[in-house]
Amino acid sequence: MVVCLCKGVSDKKIKSLLENGATCLRDVMTSSQAGSDCGSCICQLKEMVRKSQQRNGAATSGNAASDTNCG
Ligand code: FES
């Protein structure tokens, strides 16, 4: 399924990025260009990042679980 129509980025691509080192919305956007045009896919990207953080335990510190931003 295509998540970002503007840039033609699929959910598989996003999942692959999240499984291979992307840890936040900015990582995903930088690597894939998803969300860099009209922005209507941002909410879906955030949700995918949030789920990935939950799967990974978001065990670092502080607000990681509630925030999809880097750092
Ligand atoms: S649908 Fe992703 S930037 Fe437009």
Side-chain angles (χ1 to χ4, degrees):
M1 177 183 82
V2 174
V3 175
C4 178
L5 293 173
C6 295
K7 298 297 180 181
V9 181
S10 68
D11 59 338
K12 285 183 184 173
K13 172 71 176 176
I14 303 295
K15 285 175 187 169
S16 172
L17 290 171
L18 290 168
E19 288 167 3
N20 291 289
T23 58
C24 62
L25 181 61
R26 185 171 37 180
D27 286 347
V28 169
M29 291 177 69
T30 301
S31 299
S32 69
Q33 299 299 307
S36 63
D37 200 331
C38 76
S40 65
C41 58
I42 297 270
C43 284
Q44 195 167 354
L45 296 174
K46 280 183 181 176
E47 183 64 15
M48 293 180 78
V49 170
R50 189 183 63 79
K51 285 181 179 170
S52 173
Q53 287 175 339
Q54 285 180 341
R55 268 196 305 275
N56 295 332
T60 51
S61 66
N63 60 3
S66 62
D67 193 349
T68 53
N69 294 323
C70 294

